[in-house]
Amino acid sequence: MPLINKKTFLEFLKCPVKGWMELNNPPKKVISLADKYRMEEGKEIGERARQLFPEGVLLEEKNSFIAEDITKCMFRDQSFNTIYEAAFIDSNFVTRADIIEETKEGLKVYEVKSSKSNTKQIKELIKDIAYTVMVIKSAGYNVNEASLILLSDKYRKGLSEQSLFELYDVFNEAHRFIDEFFSEKEKAVEILGSLEKPEPKFIYECRNCDYFKECFDMDRDKTIFVLHNKHHSQVKRLIEQERYLLKDIDVDELEKDVHRRIYRSLKENKLIVDDKRGLWEKLNNLEYPIGYLDFETVSTALPLYDDLGPYEKLPFQYSLHIKKSPDSPLKHLDYLFFDPSVDESKRLAETLAGDVEGIKTLIAYHDSFEKSVIKNIIERNGYDEQLKSVLTEMIDKFVDLEMLVKEHIYHPDFHGSFSIKKVLPALIPDFSYEGMKIKNGDDACYVFAKMARGDYSELEMEKIRKDLLEYCKLDTLAMVKIHEKLLELCSIF
Ligand code: SF4
């Protein structure tokens, strides 16, 4: 059987089928532009973390068995005290340690992560290092320290490597998981090493699992997972009762209007519009001129500009469609950093303040995002009071188009989601993001980050600028179309 690595083992703990698939039949993953950027950035962070241990040596060998032999030799000869990517194998289990230091008391294990030190995912990160420590200990070594190396919130571009990272000793926390992992090892070898795929069990983790189709002969849209944002405890209770399908529950059991609407829409297989009068009143109350606004923001682990911290969000682009009255033609305005190597967010804010002059209502899709971007701009240094007051006034003018859809409408083709990417083609079939070079905000963010880092030629930059402008423009045009569709749907009540 192939060696079990960290990803496989941790997947196995969540679901044995997932672990088995990971080891025996791994999916061919499509790497998006965003994935590619994150991988490159993760690699750079790993390399920079090594500079905290400058005496270390990199073990480049990819073959785990050969790398393990080299690791043993290095420890035996005591030629190196610090190794990057040392390899350890314990019968069926393998691990590579990001950084390992040998001391008289034992090994110090360090795992480098691209997460911030205040991450909510800390438990998952501790599980990662717990697996590494478990394999090293099982391979016969004494481990006396285990630390995570995380990104410091206080870091700003240009500061030293020391200020980029914070070390967290998680030795005790990791040991709580290690005991659990030890007790699962034997079962993992038996199940993962079997030629037969384990029998899938319908569990909470199935809700967003890529293997769903391979595991179950059922349409996910007909299961309880289609009930948008249903509280996980309620979903788990239904699973315990083996009520996996919508048809297993009664509509009266559903407390929320949105869930009842989804239920009816799927049962009748048609678009449902509830409380048309209420929707009409909400839409009729919107004051013109209306601006449809969408920001694209960049947020990278390694900040692109001075004064930005890791993962701090910065708008680099907006698109604004304006309708002066219900029947007037659409006007389009936009802004994209002219020179991505420089932080132009102040210029963007000033241009936006001018562009929204006279607008009475601002429509955004999931407006909490746009509001948070504006609040972040206001909190940044160097903005005059007048600009700040225009931006502050904008916040009260927002109306959330997503909420209007969620509170009144469901179409089977939403597939349990109210994202604009699902809602748009379902309500306006001729209109979709198909064929766009940049398909989502994540891709836009990382393509821009590469522009800012100077990774593209001038010719490529020109092309990408066009793609970014087209993508963001489509986002606000989509809002215009959805708004028009809502007006049409509630015109007769
Ligand atoms: S769909 Fe469910 S049972 Fe199948 S691999 Fe995913 S989590 Fe496991």
Side-chain angles (χ1 to χ4, degrees):
M1 86 184 256
L3 288 170
I4 299 169
N5 63 19
K6 184 195 298 172
K7 184 158 194 280
T8 304
F9 183 72
L10 295 178
E11 292 287 29
F12 164 81
L13 293 181
K14 286 183 207 149
C15 165
V17 186
K18 244 181 175 179
W20 190 91
M21 295 292 277
E22 195 62 48
L23 190 69
N24 297 289
N25 194 11
K28 285 189 191 79
K29 201 172 178 284
V30 182
I31 311 262
S32 67
L33 296 169
D35 292 335
K36 212 166 157 235
Y37 186 90
R38 278 191 284 257
M39 285 189 304
E40 286 168 7
E41 196 173 45
K43 195 166 165 248
E44 186 181 336
I45 288 168
E47 285 165 4
R48 288 177 66 169
R50 288 176 196 154
Q51 292 171 30
L52 300 174
F53 306 84
E55 70 288 357
V57 64
L58 174 64
L59 205 170
E60 286 184 84
E61 175 58 50
K62 294 277 178 274
N63 180 292
S64 301
F65 293 103
I66 302 174
E68 190 216 13
D69 280 343
I70 299 174
T71 303
K72 279 180 184 163
C73 287
M74 288 166 109
F75 282 133
R76 198 175 45 231
D77 299 349
Q78 296 195 320
S79 41
F80 303 100
N81 289 334
T82 305
I83 307 173
Y84 317 135
E85 296 296 324
F88 301 88
I89 296 177
D90 158 42
S91 55
N92 299 92
F93 296 86
V94 63
T95 194
R96 301 290 291 248
D98 289 340
I99 298 166
I100 206 142
E101 262 186 321
E102 192 181 24
T103 66
K104 279 191 202 114
E105 294 78 32
L107 297 180
K108 291 184 179 180
V109 179
Y110 300 93
E111 193 128 331
V112 185
K113 298 290 178 192
S114 304
S115 308
K116 278 206 298 186
S117 47
N118 56 359
T119 174
K120 289 183 184 144
Q121 307 299 323
I122 194 75
K123 196 171 155 192
E124 297 309 308
L125 304 186
I126 295 174
K127 281 184 186 174
D128 276 10
I129 196 167
Y131 171 85
T132 305
V133 173
M134 173 189 78
V135 177
I136 297 175
K137 285 178 82 164
S138 306
Y141 296 88
N142 176 33
V143 176
N144 73 325
E145 266 189 52
S147 300
L148 290 171
I149 301 181
L150 305 175
L151 299 178
S152 167
D153 216 17
K154 298 188 193 83
Y155 176 75
R156 295 294 177 269
K157 191 183 171 189
L159 296 180
S160 68
E161 305 309 337
Q162 269 74 15
S163 8
L164 174 58
F165 297 108
E166 281 178 18
L167 262 69
Y168 287 87
D169 176 358
V170 291
F171 188 72
N172 293 332
E173 291 91 331
H175 269 81
R176 274 176 226 134
F177 292 113
I178 291 172
D179 293 342
E180 179 198 328
F181 292 176
F182 266 119
S183 66
E184 294 291 332
K185 272 175 72 186
E186 210 176 303
K187 197 164 116 202
V189 173
E190 186 193 326
I191 292 176
L192 298 174
S194 163
L195 292 177
E196 293 290 316
K197 186 172 89 172
E199 199 56 41
K201 269 195 197 153
F202 199 96
I203 53 176
Y204 187 66
E205 280 65 26
C206 301
R207 75 197 183 287
N208 51 12
C209 178
D210 292 340
Y211 300 117
F212 190 86
K213 268 194 188 149
E214 292 175 54
C215 286
F216 302 104
D217 184 21
M218 56 175 95
D219 179 353
R220 198 196 301 245
D221 282 2
K222 293 199 164 65
T223 70
I224 50 175
F225 295 138
V226 81
L227 296 171
H228 179 80
N229 274 353
K230 190 164 175 63
H231 197 274
H232 67 273
S233 62
Q234 294 170 339
V235 175
K236 281 183 175 167
R237 191 160 2 100
L238 288 170
I239 292 174
E240 276 163 24
Q241 295 165 354
E242 298 185 10
R243 299 159 84 200
Y244 311 136
L245 295 167
L246 279 189
K247 69 177 175 56
D248 298 332
I249 50 181
D250 193 283
V251 67
D252 295 334
E253 288 180 69
L254 299 169
E255 289 157 23
K256 291 192 176 164
D257 288 346
V258 62
H259 293 151
R260 282 202 284 269
R261 198 157 34 253
I262 292 173
Y263 184 98
R264 284 188 289 124
S265 168
L266 290 167
K267 195 164 179 208
E268 294 164 32
N269 194 26
K270 65 173 195 187
L271 171 74
I272 299 272
V273 186
D274 278 340
D275 184 18
K276 286 187 181 180
R277 188 188 182 98
L279 178 59
W280 183 85
E281 280 171 1
K282 286 176 195 169
L283 294 174
N284 211 35
N285 281 340
L286 301 182
E287 273 191 275
Y288 285 83
I290 293 178
Y292 303 81
L293 179 65
D294 181 59
F295 287 114
E296 297 306 328
T297 59
V298 66
S299 151
T300 52
L302 297 170
L304 297 170
Y305 307 113
D306 297 346
D307 293 335
L308 274 189
Y311 294 111
E312 201 174 324
K313 227 174 357 182
L314 188 85
F316 62 87
Q317 175 179 15
Y318 68 79
S319 168
L320 177 70
H321 272 95
I322 300 173
K323 258 197 162 194
K324 279 198 168 160
S325 67
D327 303 318
S328 65
L330 264 181
K331 182 178 170 189
H332 182 247
L333 299 166
D334 56 17
Y335 187 94
L336 170 61
F337 278 19
F338 291 100
D339 177 2
S341 68
V342 181
D343 175 3
E344 290 180 10
S345 55
K346 188 172 179 210
R347 197 159 149 194
L348 176 146
E350 287 164 350
T351 313
L352 177 64
D355 285 350
V356 297
E357 209 182 319
I359 285 177
K360 296 266 177 49
T361 304
L362 280 165
I363 288 186
Y365 204 90
H366 197 77
D367 71 344
S368 58
F369 176 76
E370 267 63 33
K371 285 182 190 169
S372 76
V373 171
I374 293 174
K375 281 181 192 157
N376 285 350
I377 299 176
I378 295 169
E379 280 163 18
R380 298 199 78 209
N381 297 326
Y383 292 80
D384 61 56
E385 288 309 313
Q386 203 199 336
L387 177 58
K388 279 188 182 181
S389 97
V390 175
L391 295 173
T392 309
E393 279 170 25
M394 281 177 71
I395 292 174
D396 293 331
K397 293 181 181 171
F398 274 101
V399 170
D400 189 1
L401 191 59
E402 183 188 35
M403 201 47 86
L404 291 174
V405 174
K406 214 184 262 185
E407 285 175 350
H408 293 272
I409 290 174
Y410 193 80
H411 188 290
D413 290 345
F414 288 1
H415 301 294
S417 162
F418 288 94
S419 90
I420 197 164
K421 307 283 185 297
K422 289 282 192 302
V423 167
L424 179 71
L427 292 183
I428 303 125
D430 308 341
F431 227 84
S432 82
Y433 289 79
E434 279 307 305
M436 301 288 291
K437 289 272 181 329
I438 293 169
K439 290 189 170 60
N440 55 56
D442 235 17
D443 282 353
C445 161
Y446 291 111
V447 161
F448 176 80
K450 280 174 84 67
M451 284 169 85
R453 289 169 62 125
D455 290 356
Y456 296 123
S457 69
E458 247 177 65
L459 207 70
E460 286 171 318
M461 292 268 273
E462 211 176 295
K463 174 87 193 52
I464 290 165
R465 277 187 70 84
K466 227 174 113 227
D467 292 340
L468 281 169
L469 288 167
E470 258 178 42
Y471 167 71
C472 199
K473 184 178 178 183
L474 183 61
D475 265 348
T476 47
L477 191 56
M479 289 184 223
V480 176
K481 296 288 172 194
I482 293 171
H483 181 196
E484 286 172 359
K485 187 71 186 178
L486 298 193
L487 283 164
E488 180 194 317
L489 290 172
C490 66
S491 57
I492 309 160
F493 55 82

